Amino acid sequence: MLKLEAEGAQIRMSTQPTGEHRPPLLAMPDKHPAALRVAVSKIKPGVLKHFDEHWESAMTKAREEYSLLPGRAFTEHWWMWVAIYRNPALAERFEECERIVAEAEDSAERRDAAAELSRILALAAAEAEGS
């Protein structure tokens, strides 16, 4: 199992088990909008309005462009959202890093937080694929 270990403002990935590891709130759903909607409703019901608005926007764009890509992008986005937010500690750190990137005045701090966001996304994707 992969985990993140804090090292100051840095986080590194490790494959060593930890006693503090908590299992995810739920298993990864299928990469299908209906399954993702159910997962979002269980993880953070207040986000469903945004999920539905994003779905409508993606489907409108798909019809206008005669393309499947907006639907695929929607599905990938929400699949990663579930991969992160099904782990509350990971989600909390993800949001903190987003806040730092948006608000910090120090460019080195913003870069470190952006790099950590990338590592969190990679970790969440690896754990989700292994589910």
Side-chain angles (χ1 to χ4, degrees), residues 55-72:
W55 172 251
E56 287 302 319
S57 173
M59 292 303 93
T60 298
K61 189 172 182 180
R63 284 188 298 274
E64 289 171 353
E65 296 177 359
Y66 298 98
S67 173
L68 298 175
L69 292 178
R72 183 173 182 178

Side-chain angles (χ1 to χ4, degrees), residues 18-25 87-89:
T18 175
E20 66 204 37
H21 183 271
R22 292 183 213 129
L25 297 174
N87 180 331

Side-chain angles (χ1 to χ4, degrees), residues 7-26:
E7 292 181 1
Q10 300 288 326
I11 283 189
R12 68 181 175 83
M13 286 189 279
S14 170
T15 56
Q16 299 303 311
T18 175
E20 66 204 37
H21 183 271
R22 292 183 213 129
L25 297 174
L26 49 88

Side-chain angles (χ1 to χ4, degrees), residues 1 7 9 14 21 28 34 47 55 79 100 109 115 121 127:
M1 178 79 49
E7 292 181 1
S14 170
H21 183 271
M28 277 304 292
V47 176
W55 172 251
W79 191 78
I100 292 168
E109 186 179 5
L121 288 167
E127 286 188 343

Side-chain angles (χ1 to χ4, degrees), residues 30-33 36 54-55 70-80:
D30 291 336
K31 262 191 191 178
H32 185 275
L36 292 169
H54 189 189
W55 172 251
R72 183 173 182 178
F74 168 88
T75 301
E76 291 294 330
H77 170 87
W78 287 99
W79 191 78
M80 281 304 302

